[in-house]
Amino acid sequence: MSSELVELLAHLTPSNKLWQQAKSLFVRNRVAPEAKIFASYLYAQGSSLRRLKELLHDLGVRVSHVGIWKWIQNLGRNLREKLFRRKRWRCLVVDETKIRTKRRWIFVFAAVDPENREIVNLLVTEHRETIDALGFLKRCLNYCNGKPVIVTDGGPWYYWPTRRLGLKHVVMCGGERNYIERWFETFKDRLRAFDCYFPTHGLESIKNFSAVFCFWYNKCRHHMSMKRPPSGGEGRFKTWLEVSS
């Protein structure tokens, strides 16, 4: 790793303790873990794998774009089980969208807290059926103290699951539903770096990528209207190092 990159990372995060925690994420460290953490942060923000490869080459780190992709996947696997936090959510706005992959279309269910714009849960699945909506709402309840009001656009796959789980279901156009629509726009803006489709058909890879993106969105990205990340805190790169905690 070049002295320029070492100096840059030291300026971004002077705490050695944070770096030591971050190093534990990776089993093999032929490339310095600091470079891996830095590259994954830029990738979550929107940089492509090939652009990152060129940037790292300029900074003295020799790695292929496939190698960077493996770093992201490893990071996503570590994040998936500890990505979301349990809290008393008053209301959850739930929706789903369709994403094109290399060989097929998949569906992404998401739930957002309209007060803080925080993503409460996410589900990547092959189908958009009632059973998928039921499974997703159950996942959401695992992170809820109490039963929140569920706001949807009136998709028929939500009616029976909300009744089955004893949840108040409100159908809405506009209003608080705009928050989930904006999140999906942000998510799809990130996917446009992949040209016209997600460059894989494996659900596990997509789940890992989505976990990395959600962590960055909830904890690091400053929301324009709130001037802070949805989860609160300082955000940006220093918070990104919490991926190892």
Side-chain angles (χ1 to χ4, degrees):
M1 187 165 62
S2 70
S3 59
E4 291 86 353
L5 182 55
V6 172
E7 183 178 348
L8 171 63
L9 297 177
H11 174 72
L12 289 173
T13 307
S15 172
N16 289 328
K17 182 179 179 181
L18 289 174
W19 282 121
Q20 291 300 323
Q21 291 175 346
K23 289 179 181 180
S24 64
L25 278 173
F26 305 100
V27 177
R28 297 179 59 191
N29 285 317
R30 184 177 61 85
V31 174
E34 293 89 343
K36 296 179 180 181
I37 294 294
F38 181 59
S40 63
Y41 177 67
L42 296 180
Y43 183 77
Q45 286 186 311
S47 184
S48 70
L49 295 172
R50 295 183 188 277
R51 288 175 183 169
L52 279 175
K53 181 191 75 171
E54 296 302 322
L55 172 63
L56 291 175
H57 279 199
D58 290 341
L59 294 173
V61 178
R62 296 291 176 179
V63 63
S64 68
H65 69 281
V66 176
I68 300 173
W69 174 252
K70 290 179 179 179
W71 301 347
I72 305 301
Q73 290 296 305
N74 185 68
L75 186 59
R77 280 190 292 270
N78 278 277
L79 286 175
R80 277 167 58 177
E81 298 302 321
K82 56 184 179 182
L83 178 60
F84 305 111
R85 59 175 177 165
R86 187 177 180 87
K87 185 180 175 182
R88 181 172 292 278
W89 307 101
R90 178 187 64 83
C91 173
L92 295 182
V93 184
V94 177
D95 203 356
E96 78 291 327
T97 193
K98 186 166 64 171
I99 293 175
R100 184 184 176 191
T101 68
K102 193 172 184 179
R103 296 182 183 175
R104 56 183 172 174
W105 291 90
I106 63 164
F107 294 92
V108 177
F109 285 80
V112 65
D113 166 33
E115 295 181 4
N116 293 312
R117 324 295 196 261
E118 182 174 350
I119 298 301
V120 176
N121 214 295
L122 192 80
L123 174 67
V124 179
T125 180
E126 295 178 301
H127 307 288
R128 183 180 57 184
E129 306 292 345
T130 300
I131 194 66
D132 300 294
L134 176 63
F136 177 61
L137 291 177
K138 284 183 175 180
R139 285 165 57 106
C140 291
L141 290 179
N142 288 336
Y143 293 90
C144 294
N145 294 324
K147 292 188 175 183
V149 176
I150 303 298
V151 176
T152 74
D153 61 354
W157 38 85
Y158 293 115
Y159 285 94
W160 180 79
T162 50
R163 290 198 302 269
R164 177 73 174 79
L165 297 173
L167 299 171
K168 183 178 180 181
H169 180 204
V170 176
V171 176
M172 183 182 296
C173 294
E176 292 182 327
R177 278 206 68 256
N178 289 334
Y179 298 126
I180 191 71
E181 296 290 348
R182 290 172 187 168
W183 184 82
F184 277 128
E185 287 179 10
T186 303
F187 187 62
K188 289 184 175 181
D189 282 344
R190 175 62 189 89
L191 297 182
R192 289 188 181 98
F194 301 135
D195 295 326
C196 60
Y197 57 79
F198 201 93
T200 181
H201 62 277
L203 285 184
E204 290 303 306
S205 296
I206 299 171
K207 290 176 182 178
N208 293 337
F209 165 81
S210 300
V212 171
F213 181 82
C214 281
F215 184 91
W216 170 77
Y217 182 90
N218 278 347
K219 293 181 175 290
C220 302
R221 176 184 181 271
H222 277 229
H223 195 280
M224 291 181 64
S225 63
M226 297 186 296
K227 311 299 182 185
R228 61 170 177 80
S231 295
E234 183 178 354
R236 298 194 170 93
F237 187 66
K238 288 183 180 179
T239 304
W240 183 254
L241 292 178
E242 293 179 9
V243 293
S244 62
S245 62

